[in-house]
Amino acid sequence: MSKKEILNQLSPDEALQKLIDGNLRFRKSEHINRDFMKETQDTAGEQYPFAIILGCIDSRVPVEILFDQGVGDLFVTRVAGNFENDDILASLEFACKVVGSKLIMVLGHEDCGAIKAACDGIEVGHITSLINNIKPAIVKTKVVGNSTSENKKYINDVAKSNVHLTIRRIREKSSIINSLEKEGRIKIVGAYYNIDLGEVSLIKL
């Protein structure tokens, strides 16, 4: 069976389970023994990733590694603060509509530097416009204590709110993705990565 046929037969729920299982292997240090050069050669002519993940640029969140996936398994788009913009929406549409990926995951994480910068109101260069994309999550998040980067729980709560709002905007802005989801051809999920534990948990939407 070709990689395209395997992808076509995969359900969105099965795609999600592949990520959940991969993260469990990562946490147990039971990684699949991969021949990356062979995977590179096998995917040289075509690619059929089963999921696309919108994550943060944070170096502590290496997406393929923490989900124990190989070359050609995932599309990954990354921007500080894991929010959507026109180019990222186009990437999501390409993955799901053109290639046939079955899952979109928006992945926030613990101790996010972009979230901290937004909460602290850092405005310098292009960072100013970047944190403007995160400010709606700050407005939405309940504050207990101070609302700066010193409040770790608040920062992590804002990160989760940011995932919620990003998914909402993806659905609102992309009629293509919205239709694919309503037809049951894809699934959109939010997730949160605990850096200390190495654990990815789903966020209830």
Side-chain angles (χ1 to χ4, degrees), residues 17-196:
Q17 192 62 50
K18 283 169 69 72
L19 294 181
I20 292 171
D21 292 345
N23 181 243
L24 181 59
R25 292 194 301 272
F26 169 75
R27 296 189 337 253
K28 291 183 174 180
S29 295
E30 296 176 352
H31 308 84
I32 293 174
N33 186 20
R34 300 181 182 277
D35 184 338
F36 289 113
M37 278 310 302
K38 185 177 186 307
E39 291 181 346
T40 299
Q41 293 162 359
D42 289 345
T43 56
E46 58 183 6
Q47 60 169 341
Y48 295 102
F50 67 86
I52 179 166
I53 298 179
L54 167 52
C56 184
I57 64 167
D58 196 295
S59 64
R60 300 165 297 174
V61 191
V63 175
E64 288 91 345
I65 295 174
L66 64 90
F67 287 113
D68 191 30
Q69 299 301 315
V71 177
D73 288 335
L74 299 176
F75 282 120
V76 181
T77 179
R78 302 178 68 162
V79 61
N82 44 266
F83 60 86
E84 89 301 331
N85 59 25
D86 286 348
D87 294 326
I88 288 174
L89 286 170
S91 298
L92 298 175
E93 291 173 352
F94 174 79
C96 296
K97 181 67 175 180
V98 178
V99 178
S101 300
K102 301 301 180 71
L103 180 75
I104 294 173
M105 175 181 282
V106 179
L107 180 63
H109 69 93
E110 179 184 17
D111 194 40
C112 180
I115 300 293
K116 288 181 176 180
C119 290
D120 288 343
I122 294 176
E123 296 187 357
V124 56
H126 290 86
I127 297 174
T128 303
S129 60
L130 183 144
I131 66 172
N132 284 337
N133 292 281
I134 301 172
K135 285 182 178 179
I138 295 174
V139 173
K140 182 182 178 183
T141 306
K142 181 179 179 180
V143 182
V144 177
N146 69 69
S147 58
T148 70
S149 60
E150 295 178 357
N151 187 339
K152 184 173 181 179
K153 183 182 184 305
Y154 176 66
I155 293 299
N156 294 335
D157 286 345
V158 172
K160 294 172 185 177
S161 295
N162 187 49
V163 169
H164 275 270
L165 293 177
T166 296
I167 290 175
R168 179 187 299 177
R169 291 191 299 263
I170 289 171
R171 288 171 170 152
E172 291 173 350
K173 293 180 179 180
S174 174
S175 60
I176 291 174
I177 292 171
N178 192 299
S179 295
L180 290 172
E181 183 183 30
K182 287 180 177 178
E183 293 166 5
R185 295 168 61 185
I186 68 168
K187 191 180 190 77
I188 305 174
V189 298
Y192 178 78
Y193 178 56
N194 186 309
I195 293 176
D196 290 329

